[in-house]
Amino acid sequence: MNSNLAGKFPNLRLRRLRGTPAMRSLVRETRLSAEQLVLPLFVRSGKRLRRPIPSMPGVFQLSLDELIKEASSAAAAGIPAVLIFGIPEHKDEKASGAYARNGIVQQAVRSLKREHPELMVITDVCLCEYMSHGHCGIVRKTARGVSILNDPTLKLLARSAVSHAEAGADMVAPSDMMDGRVHAIRGMLDEGGFESVPIMSYAAKFASGFYGPFRDAAESAPKFGDRRSYQMDAGNALEALREVALDIAEGADIVMVKPALAYLDLIYRVKTEFGYPTAAYAVSGEYSMIKAAAQNGWIDERAVMLESHLAMKRAGADIIITYAAREIAGWLKET
Ligand code: PBG
């Protein structure tokens, strides 16, 4: 409090409400809860496989059997949803694995829904894991360099989304950042009889250094160039709002801001301007930074994880997608 004011009004004491845990709990404005967390999981073929991702301690590439175990423990912790990423056996220039009827994600969705019908299964819809070059769209080499084709990519994305829905996905989440993909996906889902499958669009997704560890996990780093011609420039907030407006107009049911911690202003603005269900993705690099600092003894992992996720909630996020979902759920139970 401003000290002049404190002098004028000696009865104004904000500290009165901070005295005890019970008092603080009564007046706490924002709370984290396991019920709003989504746990991302990486699946690949094989049996009894739990391949650690060195840059993401506690995160693994899982075979189907292990994926089920991981999903069970998430459900037991009170987490309502998982977000599935696939690592295919073969990559090509048309991302065939992304929309194969028996692709790794499609298999994962089927077995998850069989074993845990109550657990919500969300699928990431993108092509980068399935493309030999690692880009999120179809690549054409031209005299002036390489370009990522927009419209031809839409069909492949929509086919992927439909194949996920056919396998039983409860919601699809396009993360490619091509223009018009929400419209294309909505159209093909509706045609296929999946009118009731919602779309959570990665609406404001920035070209970010924070995705580094994910690309190890999903083996999806681009072999050449970068993603700046389709993901957003970190300096742009108004453009992010245009992205969100467009995705909503095209039929997105939930809009996402990604990454989270470095873009809290956008979580706030997206929530206040559109009032739509808003998701924040606490991405791989955010997780790895906290893990690494904690492993060095430099910060208190539990305190920093809880505080940073609470900040996303305070900024306006309804849903938080986070690799720390299970740990957070556990800590929340203890407190
Ligand atoms: C696929 C995709 C990425 C992430 C989610 N979906 C990687 C990328 O765009 O390069 C990043 C997630 C994370 O860093 O945790 N396009």
Side-chain angles (χ1 to χ4, degrees), residues 126 128 175 205 211 214-215 227 231 258 283-284 323:
C126 198
C128 54
S175 69
K205 175 172 175 179
Y211 306 153
F214 172 94
R215 292 177 189 167
R227 303 208 200 287
Q231 299 180 348
K258 175 186 175 198
V283 302
S284 54
Y323 301 97

Side-chain angles (χ1 to χ4, degrees), residues 132-152:
S132 37
H133 45 65
H135 277 288
C136 302
I138 296 171
V139 165
R140 177 181 291 159
K141 297 203 174 74
T142 62
R144 293 172 57 229
V146 173
S147 66
I148 316 296
L149 303 184
N150 197 86
D151 295 3

Side-chain angles (χ1 to χ4, degrees), residues 23-89:
M23 191 69 243
R24 290 194 291 273
S25 167
L26 279 179
V27 298
R28 188 163 299 130
E29 299 165 32
T30 311
R31 284 194 159 76
L32 270 177
S33 134
E35 290 162 57
Q36 68 197 136
L37 303 178
V38 176
L39 177 68
L41 293 172
F42 298 98
V43 60
R44 68 180 307 152
S45 60
K47 277 221 166 63
R48 266 180 267 139
L49 184 84
R50 275 179 86 77
R51 189 180 290 179
I53 293 141
S55 54
M56 300 179 74
V59 180
F60 302 84
Q61 292 183 346
L62 305 161
S63 53
L64 286 172
D65 47 338
E66 292 291 328
L67 179 81
I68 300 295
K69 284 191 211 157
E70 206 81 348
S72 311
S73 91
I79 294 161
V82 291
L83 173 63
I84 304 300
F85 293 93
I87 299 117
E89 282 194 78

Side-chain angles (χ1 to χ4, degrees), residues 15 19 32 87 132 163 179 181 206 211 228 242 332:
R15 291 185 54 198
L32 270 177
I87 299 117
S132 37
S163 74
D179 285 320
R181 90 275 209 211
F206 288 84
Y211 306 153
R228 288 172 195 275
R242 290 201 291 279
L332 291 175

